[in-house]
Amino acid sequence: MEASVEQLVFVREDEYTVARMSADGVPDFVATGRALAGAQPGETLRLLGDWSRHPRYGRRYAVTGCERVTPSSVRAIRIYLGSGLIRGIGPRLAYAIVDHFGEATLKVIDGEPERLTEVVNIGPLRQAQIVEAWREQKSIAALMVTLQGLGVSPLLAAKIYQVFGQDADEVLATDPYRLIGRVRGIAFRIADRIALQSGVPERSPQRVKAALLDRLEAAGSRDGHCFVPVTALVRETAELIEQDQDLVRPMIDALVADRRLVVETAPGRPGQPERAVAYAKHVHSRETALTAHLTRLMHARSTLPMRVFREDPGLHDDQRAAVNMALTSTVSVLTGGPGCGKSHTVKTIATTVRAAGGTVTLTAPTGKAAKRLSELTGMPAMTVHRMLAQQPDPDPETLFDETPAQADLIVVDEASMLDLHLATRLTAAVPSGSHLLLIGDSDQLPSIGPGDVLTDLLRVTAIPRVQLTHVFRQSGGSGIIDAAHRIRAGQVPATPGRGGFWFEELDDPEQVARRVAHLAMVAIPRKQNVEPDQVQVLCPMRKGETGATTLGRLIQDRLNPAADDKDEHWSGASVFRVGDRVMPIRNNYDKGVFNGETGTVTAVVRQERMVEIRTDDGESVQYSFDELDDLTHAYAISVHRSQGSEYPFVVAPIVSESGGIMLRRRLLYTLVTRAKAWVVLVGQREALELAVHRLGLRRNTGLARRLALSLES
């Protein structure tokens, strides 16, 4: 039968979809199945399936086949146009258009669009907007059909069209590997499936090169590696495409000749000989550029105004050493755990420089980290990204008057978050003679992107560094500090711990998830007399019963459930509804939002196909439906996403689900140190012990070796 999609009720990550449908002569009904993947409210679908009765949800139509068709009845056309699928047409205008043209409405829009101006409130500008949106929607629908025929999720159609536009069909037919890296959600396996079904030979050089680059990219995005040993790269690529290694090896040389790959010799692991390693060209360029800029800064003559430093009697010996280091070294590193006085030391350094007539810029990789640095030091701070943007009209409340990169002293807090790309941009912007002070905790998780910059710099003995070890804070959240220092020393925190740290033992992952959600939504807010948004759920993993996706959806459904008077929009397996807590996962300079900031959905405007967010700083930001991949819900987030932020209360599941692949010491340490008042861990004791004792994998980087050699020459 043919039916219109009235509302999406539920979409699972495996694309299993539940939708409310309506059809002429059939009472409204519920349809279910993976065949509905990609369906949008307003579309007309030709469905194949069977009626069944669910013991809990009642009568439903189990869909086994689904085909998109052009709506033909007046009722279906009105639903289609009023759904928001065509930007610029809302329910009221849809009624007016359909009342005027009847069953010929879509034929008019498609073949005689100039007649749209016959309808009241449609002028030439809106008519052009409607026609453009109609053609775009037709192209996306056609792409969906193509992808379904190739056995690929139709949910990717809009993303492909967004990147390639009218050329999308040609790309799919001639070079599907161009999709990799350009269309979010498409890696080698999906592009390869399209290519093979389009006739690309299994042993084609095009296919092998794409697989090699994919393995390099995966090593960077998954494990943070900058390079991969050539032998491992050849082996993994051969396994991926199920071909002999002899077919793969020559393609390494071909990619080097194409200037897409760099191969060089690097030292092996301790006790092992040198080995050939492969870099993606852009990663190699950044690593060599970062080396050059750090060398330039290290060798530069200081331009910092000097005065005699009046020693603060309240400073500890290692703090005084840090102050002297920052004032005398053009590049230096300050490290230390929680409660060791890093913020007070930074404030002393900055105050001293400004008292001598110098200028200071305080920065951090994320907005929250910058705000926290400003609160702790009492001085303005900004994100590294904003500093690099060098905005012509800086906000006087958040920026210094001078051009940021020209400051005499540039301080970067939370430096463990600097990946290779950001660190390269940062050092390139620092003029010779300025002082660069990097502050961080080397026991925290490394950056999300490739590289381990802070750890690499600490491996270079020529770079001045001071580690603060004296713990000052002994009240308030002292249980958190005590637990953190035990974890970094490889010791399991005392349970029950001192005030501020708590471990609740549960074995079953499903029970753990329910308990974490209850603590975050009910128990802690009630006991501490706070709102639930003061409690942050942090998860070691994204997937699984205790992963951020499952827990986030559970909390969202309880704290902000669907309602008839609450607008919402499904984007893939995520639903964004008014009142949701969200955070951007990518920096967007045009919007002025940065990774890690949080906000609340204030409107879902179907007619304009956009979601409006109000950030915690009071700014209003709009995301089109096509940009929602840049947002994630903030009800439960990964530990990596929490870096640079602090929360009053933190609750986290600790289970060895899926082998506990993410449970490592640096992750647990980072998790615990995100809390200001209380951190509650719920889960298995053996998982807690595993996390404490398992060290993280060392990332493959060449920065320390390059920099040591460069500074020696």
Side-chain angles (χ1 to χ4, degrees), residues 314-324 340-342 344-345 466 468 472:
L315 294 179
H316 192 265
D317 289 346
D318 52 10
Q319 289 179 301
R320 280 192 287 272
V323 173
N324 285 315
C340 290
K342 292 195 298 292
H344 183 65
T345 305
V466 168
L468 303 181
F472 290 91

Side-chain angles (χ1 to χ4, degrees), residues 179 485 593:
L179 301 171
H485 284 280
V593 296

